[in-house]
Amino acid sequence: MYFAALLARTEDGWKASDTELDDVESLSDLTDLAREASVDEDTVLVFIEQEDAWFGVIRVDGEEDPRIYVSNASAAARSSYGEILLTDELLGREPGAEVTIAALEELVGLDGTEDGEPDTPDNHDNHDDNAGTDDDDGPDADVVPAGPLGDTGVLSDLGLPEAELLMLRTDAMAEIADALGAAEVLETVR
């Protein structure tokens, strides 16, 4: 079960609204949604939480690039909403890496032979002691790290230090809202 909400900072404090993510297909869509909720280009926070699995905070300040924190990247990667947050940049990949990997996989068959190369016993008898391991290839580009990922200081100037953000596990949105002084307004949309 998911919960998603926007918190927009105003002169009078925080204003909360729940939000539907059905039409959100990318981080750009999510950022646009946050900017539409902004009052005078002030800070808007988007919270996404999957019960007991992971949560994400996206911070949008005016026209600046969004800042993202995800509590458990590997759990978020298994979620359609989490995948929106796990950009190539956040994962430390080159932009478009997935497209390049897919193109390379098409060139080389799963048996290790290139297209058009005959499948002979010599192709399989390399006697490589590391056969079956990816040691020579480096880390797998498709692996998403377990645990927190992103900007751990995303809420530091708003009252939630990095160390406290990293310790949050369950009911994180309530604890974050409490630290921001927005617990009551967030509760109205929960």
Side-chain angles (χ1 to χ4, degrees), residues 6-10 15 17 32-39 44:
L6 291 168
L7 274 180
R9 190 162 54 177
T10 68
K15 176 184 167 190
S17 60
D32 290 344
L33 187 68
R35 287 190 176 119
E36 289 170 10
S38 177
V39 176
V44 176

Side-chain angles (χ1 to χ4, degrees), residues 97-118:
E98 291 175 358
V99 174
T100 302
I101 291 167
L104 290 173
E105 286 175 349
E106 282 184 32
L107 291 176
V108 178
L110 293 177
D111 62 1
T113 62
E114 292 186 29
D115 284 348
E117 183 178 319

Side-chain angles (χ1 to χ4, degrees), residues 23-36:
D23 295 331
V24 174
E25 295 178 3
S26 68
L27 180 59
S28 179
D29 293 343
L30 193 58
T31 303
D32 290 344
L33 187 68
R35 287 190 176 119
E36 289 170 10

Side-chain angles (χ1 to χ4, degrees), residues 116-132:
E117 183 178 319
D119 187 15
T120 64
D122 291 341
N123 288 339
H124 297 290
D125 291 335
N126 292 338
H127 301 295
D128 185 0
D129 292 335
N130 292 325

Side-chain angles (χ1 to χ4, degrees), residues 125-152:
D125 291 335
N126 292 338
H127 301 295
D128 185 0
D129 292 335
N130 292 325
T133 67
D134 292 332
D135 292 342
D136 294 336
D137 298 335
D140 187 348
D142 292 334
V143 173
V144 176
L149 187 65
D151 186 348
T152 57

Side-chain angles (χ1 to χ4, degrees), residues 5-18 34 36-39 43-47 180-189:
L6 291 168
L7 274 180
R9 190 162 54 177
T10 68
E11 290 179 4
D12 302 324
W14 293 97
K15 176 184 167 190
S17 60
D18 61 344
E36 289 170 10
S38 177
V39 176
T43 301
V44 176
L45 302 173
V46 180
F47 296 120
L180 301 177
E184 288 181 22
V185 295
L186 184 63
E187 193 59 36
T188 63
V189 297

Side-chain angles (χ1 to χ4, degrees), residues 88-99:
D88 286 339
E89 182 180 346
L90 193 66
L91 292 169
R93 294 187 226 173
E94 291 293 321
E98 291 175 358
V99 174

